[in-house]
Amino acid sequence: MTGSDEHVGRARERLTALLVEASTGALGAADAHVAGVYLRSGTPGLLRLATLVGLPGQLFRPWWRLHVDRPFPVADAFRLGTRVVLPNATEMVRRYPQFAAGLPFQFGSVYTPVPGAEPSFGVLTVLLPGTADTVDELPDLDRLCRTADRLGAGLRGLVAEDGDAAVAWEGEPVCVRPPAPRPGPARVGRFTWDPVTSVVRADDRLHALLGRAPAEFPGTGAELAVAVTPADADDVLTALHETAAGKPPPAPLRVRAADGAPLLLELWPPGAADPPLVSGIVVDPGPSAAADGAADLLPEGVFCLDRSGIVRYANPAAVRLAGRPRVELLGRPLWEAMPWLSGPSYDDHWRGALLARGPVHFQVRRGAAEGDFLALSVHPGSDLVTCTVVPASRIDPPVHLSPAAGPGAVGRSGGSSMAPLYRPIALAIALTDAVTARQVSAVVMQELLPAFGGRRLAIYLLQDRHFYLAWETGFPPGFLAPFDGVGLDAHIPGVEALTTGRPLFFESMRRLADTYPGLALDADVGSRAFLPLIASGRPVGTCILGFESERSFSTEERTVLMALAGLIAHAMEKARRYDSEAALARGLQQALLPRRLSAHPQVETAGRYLPGTQGMDVGGDWYDVVGAGDGLALVIGDVQGHGVQAAATMGQLRSAVRAFALSDRPPDEVLSGTNRLLIDLDPGQFASCCYLRLDPATGRARIARAGHPPPLLRAPDGRTRVLEIPGGVVLGVDPRARYPVTGLELAPGAILALYTDGLVERPGADIDDGIAALGAALAEAGAAPGRRGARTLTGVADRLTAMARHATDRPDDVALLLATRRPGAADRG
C-alpha cells in the first residue's frame, strides 16, 4: 500500500467515525430507534446513505441513493438547508406522497441538514417509533440540531485537512447496531491480553465477577480462559488468538462459569495500538441468560436478531426449523442464515415491525416441498427483535417469486405485502411531475429499476413507423446504436413486443438467443423483459429492462410490469404532446423577441433572455428598446404562465407597447392603454411591466411600473440602490387602474437594470433577498462601461445572468435589460 493509499484510508476511517458517532448520538437525542446520515457524493446532485443505525441495511437498500431533485424530505432538507419534521404518517402522505407510498408504515421522522457547505454537507435523519399528533409532542429537536452542528464542525475539519473530496461518500453505507443498554457496573469486568507475552491485566470488577481476589488471579491467557470457563477454556483461548490476528468472534461467546452460571465474553482486536493488546469484557447477563435457558425448552422456534439484522440467539426448535446447525445461524445476517426469509414481500413486513414497532404476523414458504410452510411472528424491541416460528398447515396468500429470485428460486409468499401495490402507486405519483420524455425516462430509471433489481434500461419511441432511442442506461457504450431508427418490419424483440401488444420475458440470455438467432447480445448472462408501451390503444414505443443474473418472472410480476408499462406509455404520450407545444412556444417566442435593440449614439443597451428549465420551458418574459421621439423607451414585462398562450399574449403586448412608444406617449398612458388592451383581449392572463422613457442628451427619465419588480441603479462610483418608485396593479386586472410616473436622472456611466422575477426569486426565499443579491452583483460588476478597466455592458449582463444560466432547476424564465449613458462632449470636458 502506498503512502497516498494509507492517507486516504485514514481519512475514510476518521469520516466513518464521525458519522457513526453522530448517528448513534442522534438515537439518544431524539429518543429514536433508527438514525443515519446522507452525504454528498462524487456524482453531482446525488446523495448517498453513509451510515445507518438501528435498521438492517438490506431493508433500506431502495433509499441508499437519492437525487437532490426528488420530492423526498431528505432532498428538501439538503437542497433548502432547512429542517423537515414529519410527526406522523398522515403528515408524510400530505407533504411527500411519493415517499409515503414506498414506506406505508406508521412512524414519524426528522431530517436535519448538516451545516458547513453550500447548501450543506448532508442530512442527519432519524425515524421515530410510533407517531405524534403535532410537532410539539416530539422529543426536544434542538438536541438533534446540536448533534448535526457537531457533525458539521467535524466535517469542516476534514475538509480543511484534505479538501472537499474528504466528505464525499461513495459505495454502500456503514450499518451498525445501536448501542445496547449497558449492564450494571458490578456485572461487567474488563481485561487486556498481550499476545506476545501472554500477560493479562484485569480490573477489580472482573476479579469480583469471577469471585477471586487480585492476588489469586492468574496472569496468562490460558489461565484466564480456565478461570472464566473451565469447560470451554480451549474455545476462549482460540478466540483470543484469532482476535489478535484481526478476526474477533462475530458475536459474544456464550460460556459457562465453574458454577454453571452463563457468561458472555466479547473481544476486540488490537488495531494500531503499541503494544498490540487484545481488549475484552466478561459479562454476567443476569436474568436474560435465564430467559435464554427457558426459551431453549420451548416447543416453538424462538430466535432473536439485533437491530442490524444479525442473529444473536436461536433455540433448538428454531435451529431444527431453519434446517442449519446453530453455528451457521448465530452471528450471521438473517438473510444469509435463513435465505427463505428474504425478498421484497418479506422486507415490507420487517420494515413494518422495525419502523412502526408493532408485532407482525405472516406466513412463509421455506422450501420446495409441498406443505413446507411456516408461521412467523415478529416482536420488535429497542435492542433486540424476538421472532417465533412454528410449522403451518397451509399458506393463505398466493405463492409468487421474489423479484430478486434466480431461476431456481422456490415460490414463496410474504402474506399481505404492499410491494405489488405501492410500486405502481409510487411510479404514478412520480410521473405526475414529469412533463418531458427525458423526465419520464429519468423517473422510470429511478423508480422502476430499483424496485425489480434491474441494472439496464432502454426506452424506444415510435415515430413515422420507426423506433428511436429516447433513453438508455447500463448498456455497453454504443451497443444500442444499430437499433436506433429500425422500422416496424425488423425481427427484433422490442419491435415485436409493440406490434403484437404482448410483453416478452426471457429468463436467460440463452433463451433470448434461441428465440432470435443472430441477434446481437450485450451480455452472456442475465435476463430481459420487453414491455410494449401502448396508450389508449395507440402504440408509443417499447421499454426494455435488463437484469444482471438469470431470473424468473412470476405471474404477479408480469401483471405489475404491464400495469407500469401502461403508466409509462400514457406519460410518454403526454410528454410528446408537451414537447410539440414547447417547441412551438420556443419558436414563437424567439420570433417575437427583438433580434437587435434600437441604437442611440449616447445610450448603450444590453438584453438577455433565458428560458426556464422546468414546466413549459418558455414563458411570457420580454424586453425591448424603442425609439420614442428624440429619446428612447426601455420596457420589460412578464406575462403570467408558460407555453404557447403566454408567448402569444407577450407578442400582443410587445406590439402594443411599441406602438404607444413610437407615438411618444407618456409612460402612464402607455401602461393604461396596454392594460385596457389586455382586458379587451381577455386571454385569461395578466402581466407585469416596467416602462421608462429616457432623454439621452440630459439623462432625465420618467418611469412607471405595473406590478413589476423595482429597477436597480448603479452609480458611476459603484454604489447601487433599489429605485423604490410607486406603481400600479398588474396589467389585465382593473380597467380603471392608474400608473403614477416618477422622474429620475441617469448620470453618464451609471447602469440602469430592469429585470423579471425569474432572476431574483428562489423557492423558499424572500424575493427582497434576491433583489438585494442582484444589487450586490451589479455593484461588483466593475467600473462603469466606457472608462479604463471597465467591463463592457454585455459582459455585465453575462455576469448577472451567469448563475441563472448554469442552474439546472431554473423554474421560471429570466429577462434582463441594462442601459447606460455614454459620456457626451460636455461630460468629458
Side-chain angles (χ1 to χ4, degrees), residues 40 74 99 278 298 308 318 324 337 398 414 486 492 494 497 518 524 546 566 586 596 669 702 718 729 809 815 821 825:
R40 300 172 305 178
V74 171
F99 182 61
V278 172
L298 294 176
S308 63
R324 307 183 71 172
V486 299
I492 57 176
D524 296 328
R586 283 192 294 270
R596 58 185 177 85
E669 293 186 19
R702 303 180 69 206
V729 298
D809 58 348
R821 286 179 63 221

Side-chain angles (χ1 to χ4, degrees), residues 80-96:
L80 303 177
T82 59
R83 185 174 63 196
V84 176
V85 181
L86 304 175
N88 50 52
T90 301
E91 185 70 6
M92 183 192 301
V93 170
R94 185 184 70 82
R95 295 177 57 185
Y96 298 96

Side-chain angles (χ1 to χ4, degrees), residues 57-81:
Q58 175 165 323
L59 294 183
F60 220 68
R61 182 179 288 273
W63 297 272
W64 282 6
R65 303 165 72 247
L66 288 179
H67 289 268
V68 297
D69 58 351
R70 298 292 301 281
F72 282 7
V74 171
D76 278 359
F78 176 82
R79 190 177 61 255
L80 303 177

Side-chain angles (χ1 to χ4, degrees), residues 260-537:
L263 296 175
L264 298 177
L265 176 67
E266 192 156 4
L267 303 173
W268 292 274
D274 187 18
L277 301 179
V278 172
S279 302
I281 60 172
V282 179
V283 182
D284 177 3
S288 63
D292 290 350
D296 286 347
L297 303 177
L298 294 176
E300 62 264 25
V302 178
F303 62 94
C304 296
L305 323 170
D306 63 26
R307 292 188 68 88
S308 63
I310 304 299
V311 178
R312 297 299 180 186
Y313 166 77
N315 74 348
V319 172
R320 288 194 300 272
L321 291 173
R324 307 183 71 172
R326 186 193 296 258
V327 68
E328 295 183 10
L329 299 178
L330 299 185
R332 301 185 65 182
L334 173 68
W335 294 272
E336 294 180 8
M338 305 178 193
W340 37 271
L341 277 176
S342 65
S345 298
Y346 301 144
D347 289 352
D348 280 344
H349 293 301
W350 292 110
R351 279 192 285 262
L354 292 169
L355 293 177
R357 293 190 60 197
V360 173
H361 312 281
F362 57 100
Q363 293 176 311
V364 299
R365 185 169 185 174
R366 179 177 49 183
E370 185 68 26
D372 192 9
F373 303 123
L374 300 175
L376 190 72
S377 295
V378 182
H379 302 268
S382 60
D383 182 44
L384 291 177
V385 179
T386 302
C387 308
T388 62
V389 58
V390 296
S393 58
R394 65 185 183 90
I395 193 163
D396 295 329
V399 176
H400 66 275
L401 284 173
S402 160
V410 178
R412 54 183 184 259
S413 170
S416 56
S417 167
M418 294 187 66
L421 174 64
Y422 74 66
R423 289 306 177 190
I425 294 174
L427 182 62
I429 294 173
L431 286 175
T432 59
D433 295 327
V435 292
T436 69
R438 185 172 184 83
Q439 289 172 343
V440 171
S441 301
V443 167
V444 175
M445 180 189 71
Q446 295 167 358
E447 294 293 337
L448 191 60
L449 285 185
F452 290 88
R455 292 292 182 270
R456 304 184 184 191
L457 169 71
I459 295 180
Y460 284 88
L461 297 181
L462 182 65
Q463 183 177 351
D464 298 329
R465 299 183 59 80
H466 288 78
F467 272 70
Y468 295 96
L469 184 64
W471 182 277
E472 67 166 305
T473 183
F475 286 91
F479 171 77
L480 296 177
F483 302 101
D484 197 18
V486 299
L488 288 180
D489 56 348
H491 181 59
I492 57 176
V495 171
E496 295 193 357
L498 183 63
T499 54
T500 63
R502 296 192 302 270
L504 300 176
F505 297 95
F506 297 94
E507 299 178 357
S508 67
M509 301 303 287
R510 179 182 54 78
R511 289 275 306 273
L512 178 59
D514 292 343
T515 307
Y516 293 90
L519 179 69
L521 301 180
D522 57 299
D524 296 328
V525 297
S527 53
R528 298 290 181 267
F530 298 82
L531 309 177
L533 303 180
I534 300 174
S536 302

Side-chain angles (χ1 to χ4, degrees), residues 96 169 232 240 283 286 332 385 387 392 545 559 566 597 610 620 643 700 748 766:
Y96 298 96
W169 191 267
D232 301 312
L240 285 171
V283 182
R332 301 185 65 182
V385 179
C387 308
L545 300 179
T559 302
L597 301 175
L610 302 173
R700 286 192 291 270
D766 194 294

